[in-house]
Amino acid sequence: MLKSISCGALRKENLDREVTLAGWVHRRRDHGGLIFIDLRDSEGVVQVVFNPEVSPQAHSIAQSLRAEWVLRIRGKVGERPSGTVNTNIPTGEVEVMALDLEVLNPSKTPPFSVEEEAAEADELLRLKYRYIDLRRAKLRNNLVFRHKVVKFIRDFLSRREFIEVETPILTKSTPEGARDYLVPSRVYPGHFYALPQSPQQMKQLLVIGGVERYFQIARCFRDEDLRADRQPEFTQLDLEMAFVEEEDILALMEELFTDLIENIVPHKKLMKPFPRLSYGDVMARFGTDKPDLRFGMKLSDLSDIAAESGFQVLSKTIDSGGVVKGLVASGCANYTRRQLDELTSFAQERGASGLITVALDGEPSNSLDDLRQEDIRSAVARHLSLEEVRKMAVRLGAKRGDLLLVVAGTTRVADLVLSQLRHEMGRRLELADPDLLAFGFVLNFPLLDWKPEENRWDSPHNPFSSPKDEHIGLMNTDPGSALAKQYDLICNGMEIAGGSIRNHRRDVQEKIFGLLGHSKEAMQSQFGQLLDALEYGAPPHGGFASGIDRVVMLVTDEENIREVIAFPKTQSAADPLFGAPSTVDDAQLKDLHLRLRSE
Ligand code: ASP
């Protein structure tokens, strides 16, 4: 190699040794006589000194060095003079006195600084010059963590007799609720492959094929509108097992994620065992099926109190089939008019017609029994009776000094708005312990969701999930109340994994497709391969998938998914480095039997 040791590896043990280093100029300081550079490689930086009395040749070249030039340096490791030790870096006790310097490649002035302390550059610029961005310690660290996570998973599952099997990228539509990415076929005019939204059907076919323990670090593709934690292509740990029940998969997931966190980020805290929550309870208490469990601030239903209210906004909502729900922002009774207006806009931007805020003045130790009309501060105070406010406060578990936040609307809107208000207030009040990873299982999902616009049932997760055994009959009588053998793993407000026990009997699977509105012909053309396979000795089976990008976000405390992916796409699904997507030439289109429509 061009180097004998890594820059970042040098320590006092290496004193007086002659070493050859190779790396990038991180920083350069010219102190008249002496020139100092920080030389960086993938393991870290070390200070190199050029002294004209030691090596006039090296010193003279060093005068022209600039950031990001690539160098090879032969030098001697010395102790830094006392008072110049840098305790912030692991190599801070030593420096290398340069004897020889070779410039392996100069660099243009980079579009942004690689130094971590420098202000973060514009993200588009960072993505366009990703190869420079990746030199930054933070991104490099994230990639290392990603590698460790994936390696840990592979080792963990290999020890448990799972085998990793690759499934095709060019395949047929595998619906997981998103739009497909399509690839036109050259050989079959007018025909298309679809990129897999997940290897769901493939993994079921593998298990039917006798692979009793399958996993894959699988790339999945979904053409959806992007959000902060989504990418058009992303990586899942995909897993499936034969001869299992829900409990077996839950135990495996709990062990995998516990071991992973304890090994990779041992300073993080876990709640053990992972709490198990029912979908119905979670929705009622948090308004979302992926709540951040690190803090309380639960939602309460105030509909019965609202129904009796003289305030028509409340009573009319209940009369028209809606709900009134609320939560308590502890200690926020002193919020200013401006802060309250901000919360109201926050609620309105998310679909609420308004936000009712009620501040309860007084000391937390004052009893609610002594609450007087003048202790209630609210824009709608004159519409609310003292007794009614007291009842709401008791229901919500509020104290004097707290602020009640109440939303009236449809269940969907009230839950959405309050769950996001809860998240926002949790953030403002710093209620979540940043070192806690609060995993939890959500169980007992409904098998089906009614879609009034389309007058049909939909499957909230995927259509392959099995109903609970005792609910198979309900599919004929009351499909909406059938529960599925479906489970999600959530952590700190994110869905980390999801899976189910699948239908291994054709009649049950067909029944579900029927409820989803598929004709027999449509079922056969879209899912024939799976349906047919179910008739050739399909064992009971189930599994899960987990988003690797999100797991890496958890262990690196990143809030932006693009920080844990080497070459991510932008929020608008573009790749600024390669310039993808791009137009192609006519010959390519012709080969694919495609002609573009003019808009
Ligand atoms: N295929 C599902 C998904 O991608 C996960 C599973 O049920 O295994 O979300």
Side-chain angles (χ1 to χ4, degrees):
M1 283 199 66
L2 299 182
K3 52 167 99 181
S4 66
I5 186 167
S6 283
C7 301
L10 288 173
R11 297 288 183 276
K12 264 179 132 171
E13 294 86 86
N14 308 104
L15 283 183
D16 300 326
R17 284 246 301 273
E18 202 181 289
V19 292
T20 309
L21 305 175
W24 289 262
V25 176
H26 192 58
R27 210 182 278 145
R28 174 177 161 279
R29 293 178 304 280
D30 201 331
H31 282 195
L34 299 178
I35 295 174
F36 294 88
I37 63 164
D38 287 340
L39 191 69
R40 185 191 69 240
D41 63 13
S42 60
E43 282 191 49
V45 293
V46 70
Q47 174 163 295
V48 180
V49 192
F50 297 91
N51 183 336
E53 280 156 29
V54 176
S55 169
Q57 172 261 2
H59 181 267
S60 110
I61 305 177
Q63 286 174 326
S64 60
L65 297 178
R66 293 289 176 272
E68 300 311 306
W69 284 32
V70 186
L71 312 179
R72 184 181 191 203
I73 290 165
R74 189 172 61 82
K76 193 158 170 206
V77 184
E79 205 160 352
R80 288 208 199 182
S82 65
T84 65
V85 168
N86 180 353
T87 50
N88 295 325
I89 53 171
T91 63
E93 289 182 307
V94 299
E95 61 186 15
V96 174
M97 180 59 69
L99 302 172
D100 264 329
L101 164 62
E102 183 186 346
V103 174
L104 298 175
N105 209 348
S107 166
K108 286 190 178 177
T109 304
F112 49 84
S113 166
V114 174
E115 288 178 41
E116 221 56 40
E117 306 82 66
E120 192 111 306
D122 171 61
E123 198 183 8
L124 210 57
L125 198 65
R126 289 177 48 210
L127 292 177
K128 181 161 166 53
Y129 294 92
R130 192 60 159 180
Y131 45 88
I132 297 175
D133 201 25
L134 286 170
R135 292 179 196 160
R136 292 164 55 231
K138 183 174 96 146
L139 276 197
R140 160 145 188 102
N141 238 337
N142 290 354
L143 291 187
V144 171
F145 265 111
R146 190 179 178 106
H147 163 74
K148 285 187 183 166
V149 165
V150 171
K151 178 170 187 321
F152 182 89
I153 292 172
R154 287 200 159 109
D155 292 345
F156 178 99
L157 293 173
S158 304
R159 279 197 302 276
R160 285 164 183 74
E161 314 300 332
F162 283 82
I163 60 167
E164 184 166 10
V165 182
E166 287 170 83
T167 55
I169 296 294
L170 291 179
T171 177
K172 198 167 133 172
S173 185
T174 57
E176 293 278 350
R179 215 175 279 122
D180 287 321
Y181 278 99
L182 298 175
V183 179
S185 159
R186 180 180 55 80
V187 183
Y188 299 93
H191 289 64
F192 295 81
Y193 300 97
L195 306 185
Q197 292 186 30
S198 91
Q200 180 65 35
Q201 292 182 65
M202 297 291 178
K203 68 173 166 179
Q204 291 191 239
L205 292 170
L206 276 171
V207 172
I208 297 171
V211 179
E212 288 186 38
R213 288 166 175 246
Y214 145 90
F215 83 99
Q216 180 179 193
I217 304 296
R219 197 65 67 84
C220 306
F221 306 85
R222 297 182 192 180
D223 189 359
E224 295 178 282
D225 292 329
L226 303 187
R227 297 202 306 247
D229 60 349
R230 291 240 175 105
Q231 282 276 303
E233 58 179 295
F234 60 95
T235 310
Q236 279 189 345
L237 159 62
D238 192 49
L239 181 147
E240 198 76 4
M241 292 173 83
F243 306 112
V244 282
E245 294 177 329
E246 263 185 281
E247 199 52 50
D248 303 303
I249 305 278
L250 296 183
L252 177 74
M253 289 166 86
E254 181 152 352
E255 204 187 323
L256 169 63
F257 284 98
T258 304
D259 280 13
L260 184 136
I261 297 303
E262 288 177 348
N263 274 279
I264 292 183
V265 272
H267 64 281
K268 294 272 182 193
K269 292 173 278 185
L270 293 168
M271 299 193 297
K272 292 198 286 188
F274 295 175
R276 295 177 175 207
L277 312 156
S278 244
Y279 173 79
D281 288 348
V282 179
M283 290 306 292
R285 284 154 56 195
F286 300 101
T288 166
D289 59 4
K290 35 181 179 291
D292 190 334
L293 300 175
R294 287 176 297 177
F295 59 94
M297 208 197 279
K298 288 174 190 154
L299 278 48
S300 298
D301 194 331
L302 307 171
S303 299
D304 55 329
I305 304 171
E308 311 273 286
S309 178
F311 184 25
Q312 294 213 338
V313 168
L314 298 185
S315 54
K316 284 221 165 121
T317 301
I318 306 301
D319 289 345
S320 59
V323 296
V324 173
K325 290 175 88 167
L327 55 77
V328 178
S330 183
C332 295
N334 57 1
Y335 259 36
T336 61
R337 184 59 200 266
R338 217 180 103 222
Q339 286 173 303
L340 295 174
D341 287 346
E342 239 172 61
L343 290 182
T344 304
S345 313
F346 182 95
Q348 285 171 333
E349 280 155 23
R350 284 153 184 83
S353 49
L355 177 68
I356 298 171
T357 62
V358 182
L360 305 177
D361 282 342
E363 292 302 314
S365 54
N366 296 157
S367 158
L368 286 174
D369 295 338
D370 308 331
L371 193 72
R372 296 159 308 167
Q373 195 75 38
E374 56 266 39
D375 297 326
I376 301 173
R377 274 188 306 109
S378 169
V380 296
R382 66 201 156 88
H383 299 291
L384 300 171
S385 75
L386 179 61
E387 204 37 46
E388 178 176 5
V389 171
R390 201 194 320 266
K391 273 195 202 158
M392 290 190 188
V394 170
R395 175 78 53 83
L396 292 168
K399 301 179 301 316
R400 306 282 288 267
D402 290 349
L403 176 68
L404 317 186
L405 301 174
V406 177
V407 175
T410 59
T411 307
R412 204 185 59 80
V413 167
D415 280 346
L416 178 92
V417 170
L418 285 167
S419 65
Q420 297 201 12
L421 270 172
R422 174 180 178 274
H423 189 84
E424 174 64 17
M425 293 311 298
R427 193 184 60 78
R428 290 191 190 189
L429 301 173
E430 296 183 4
L431 299 181
D433 175 350
D435 281 331
L436 177 62
L437 293 178
F439 284 94
F441 286 113
V442 182
L443 310 169
N444 302 324
F445 283 90
L447 181 69
L448 301 159
D449 241 356
W450 181 248
K451 283 237 148 144
E453 326 79 69
E454 296 171 38
N455 200 31
R456 65 170 185 92
W457 295 101
D458 192 20
S459 37
H461 283 83
N462 70 45
F464 311 107
S465 303
S466 152
K468 304 256 184 202
D469 295 337
E470 63 280 20
H471 291 177
I472 292 187
L474 280 176
M475 290 196 292
N476 292 317
T477 52
D478 182 10
S481 35
L483 298 181
K485 294 184 185 173
Q486 167 83 41
Y487 30 82
D488 274 0
L489 180 65
I490 58 170
C491 185
N492 295 8
M494 287 198 280
E495 183 191 319
I496 292 299
S500 62
I501 299 298
R502 327 293 182 185
N503 297 302
H504 67 282
R505 268 171 42 195
R506 180 167 185 142
D507 58 336
V508 179
Q509 185 62 72
E510 279 196 348
K511 176 82 208 167
I512 293 175
F513 283 143
L515 287 166
L516 298 180
H518 295 287
S519 66
K520 283 261 181 206
E521 298 72 52
M523 277 179 216
Q524 195 60 31
S525 88
Q526 239 194 314
F527 303 105
Q529 61 285 344
L530 180 66
L531 289 171
D532 292 346
L534 295 181
E535 294 187 288
Y536 288 96
H541 61 287
F544 72 90
S546 170
I548 296 288
D549 307 295
R550 290 190 192 167
V551 175
V552 180
M553 285 166 79
L554 278 183
V555 300
T556 54
D557 293 318
E558 281 294 354
E559 281 174 16
N560 179 345
I561 194 169
R562 295 181 294 280
E563 299 289 295
V564 299
I565 299 174
F567 297 103
K569 307 271 188 300
T570 62
Q571 288 267 34
S572 46
D575 172 348
L577 173 52
F578 280 78
S582 63
T583 54
V584 295
D585 61 40
D586 284 342
Q588 270 178 303
L589 287 177
K590 191 155 178 265
D591 274 349
L592 296 171
H593 321 280
L594 295 178
R595 191 178 320 121
L596 297 181
R597 256 191 358 201
S598 55
E599 279 308 320

